[in-house]
Amino acid sequence: MSNLQIPSGYKPLLNEKETEHAIVLIKEFFQLSLSTELSLTRVTAPLFVESGLGINDDLNGVERPVRFPVKDMGERQLEIVHSLAKWKRLKVAELGLGRGFGIYTDMNAIRADEDLDNLHSLYVDQWDWELHIDERDRTVMFLKETVAKLYSCLKQTEFYIYDKYEHIEPILPEHITFVYADDLQRRYPDKTPKEREAIVTKEHGAVFLIGIGGKLPDGSIHDGRAPDYDDWITESGDGHRGLNGDILVWNPVLQSAMELSSMGIRVSPESLKAQLAERGCPERAELDFHKKLLSGKLPQTLGGGIGQSRLCMYFLRKAHIGEIQVSTWPDDMRSKCAKAGIKLL
């Protein structure tokens, strides 16, 4: 329970019924803004995929997916998705979308090995999106341009909620600040990655941290990324590596940095080979998804995920993600939250 934060004197700005109404408003408004800004078509997504094809996101490679056998399929194993990072690329190829067009979907996942706290739940709900790009778009400049569009959607949504609930005042800065993870490590070599995130996000209000998953100057990594979807090894310019990153905002309720979105330009056949080698798992090249990518059968894409409950939690100034979504929590966490006036759904 050491990860649970109880903000001093916390009082929710909306009651439970108002919160439920506001959640609907945010989700409906944001997804329309997102699809319009990035030219995305909504598609239906799977809750589970077949094991052994390399389609599921394996996160850091240690988290266990929830698996189950299917009686009518000869006990074949299926697994609940962790995210749709790779499935979306297959879908863009299947739909034959042109450059500059893409898809978005409601992604629901179970992450049974998650460390539960104010921001992390067993249940994950995201808008997952994927955009068809080509070789000329595989630059950090194009990545930044896309981040700016996504940030514009956040700003629009923040004003929309303020227009409905005047006591929830806008706090996002006018523009998002771009920072490289390796520069941040050089500036604060004695700080942990999370401490660095807190420092830079508190300073700027909203940050896109570039280059997550690859090695930093001291040989460490800022945070884990699987080797087979985001490109974190390619030179991004000015001596930096990585064509991916996270959108972080300063959470005034928890007084900490809060990740709202993870996104990136996806691996090319060349960067996939290099990243599989760096992570010591070249055998993945024999999985179905990876063979398609390496043989040039999948398009170049840029994509990511945006936490739905986290977005609502941030805009409604909630202290715990359990005030937005229904999940299962340890008994002592529920008890402590109840005593602090934090109503978990």
Side-chain angles (χ1 to χ4, degrees), residues 89 267-269 272 289-298:
R89 197 165 179 178
V267 286
S268 64
L272 174 62
F289 171 86
H290 302 68
K291 285 196 287 188
K292 287 180 179 177
L293 199 159
L294 291 169
S295 63
K297 294 180 180 179
L298 297 182

Side-chain angles (χ1 to χ4, degrees), residues 36-257:
T36 303
E37 193 70 42
L38 297 185
S39 301
L40 307 175
T41 298
R42 190 190 183 283
V43 298
T44 302
L47 175 60
F48 41 81
V49 294
E50 189 170 347
S51 299
L53 298 181
I55 298 175
N56 202 359
D57 176 3
D58 72 342
L59 302 175
N60 295 307
V62 295
E63 294 86 350
R64 300 165 299 171
V66 177
R67 288 194 175 98
F68 59 95
V70 180
K71 181 183 70 173
D72 253 15
M73 295 172 62
E75 301 301 313
R76 191 181 304 173
Q77 291 284 321
L78 301 185
E79 58 191 44
I80 306 293
V81 297
H82 277 148
S83 86
L84 299 172
K86 290 176 280 187
W87 177 88
K88 292 176 297 180
R89 197 165 179 178
L90 293 168
K91 191 66 177 179
V92 168
E94 177 188 323
L95 293 175
L97 299 176
R99 175 182 178 266
F101 296 93
I103 60 173
Y104 80 97
T105 190
D106 289 287
M107 190 282 297
N108 297 285
I110 298 175
R111 296 181 181 175
D113 287 337
E114 196 69 84
D115 294 325
L116 305 181
D117 57 25
N118 299 65
L119 301 178
H120 296 88
S121 170
L122 297 174
Y123 169 62
V124 180
D125 55 343
Q126 292 182 172
W127 287 288
D128 255 322
W129 61 275
E130 202 80 10
L131 185 69
H132 186 182
I133 64 174
D134 62 21
E135 192 62 36
R136 79 190 111 156
D137 301 319
R138 290 183 53 80
T139 66
V140 73
M141 183 58 66
F142 187 81
L143 175 64
K144 288 180 177 181
E145 290 172 357
T146 307
V147 171
K149 291 180 180 180
L150 205 159
Y151 187 69
S152 175
C153 298
L154 295 177
K155 289 281 291 178
Q156 293 168 25
T157 306
E158 183 181 51
F159 173 76
Y160 178 69
I161 290 302
Y162 172 60
D163 196 40
K164 301 290 183 182
Y165 306 97
E166 290 186 354
H167 57 298
I168 306 180
E169 297 183 2
I171 57 175
L172 285 173
E174 189 63 27
H175 303 287
I176 191 167
T177 299
F178 295 95
V179 180
Y180 286 96
D182 54 1
D183 284 342
L184 205 56
Q185 191 275 324
R186 292 187 188 97
R187 284 172 62 187
Y188 305 105
D190 299 327
K191 303 291 185 181
T192 67
K194 291 304 177 187
E195 289 171 340
R196 293 173 207 147
E197 288 181 0
I199 292 170
V200 72
T201 307
K202 185 175 184 180
E203 178 184 356
H204 296 287
V207 169
F208 185 69
L209 190 60
I210 305 172
I212 297 179
K215 289 182 179 179
L216 299 176
D218 65 351
S220 67
I221 61 173
H222 183 84
D223 199 4
R225 285 293 187 276
D228 46 16
Y229 56 96
D230 279 353
D231 188 328
W232 40 255
I233 203 168
T234 296
E235 288 285 338
S236 60
D238 300 328
H240 301 288
R241 285 203 314 172
L243 296 173
N244 72 335
D246 289 346
I247 292 179
L248 307 169
V249 295
W250 181 250
N251 185 317
V253 178
L254 299 177
Q255 288 291 295
S256 64

Side-chain angles (χ1 to χ4, degrees), residues 271-307:
S271 58
L272 174 62
K273 291 177 186 176
Q275 290 183 180
L276 290 178
E278 184 161 316
R279 286 292 161 83
C281 50
E283 69 282 356
R284 285 198 201 174
E286 298 304 312
L287 296 173
D288 185 68
F289 171 86
H290 302 68
K291 285 196 287 188
K292 287 180 179 177
L293 199 159
L294 291 169
S295 63
K297 294 180 180 179
L298 297 182
Q300 299 280 333
T301 60
L302 160 64
I306 305 155

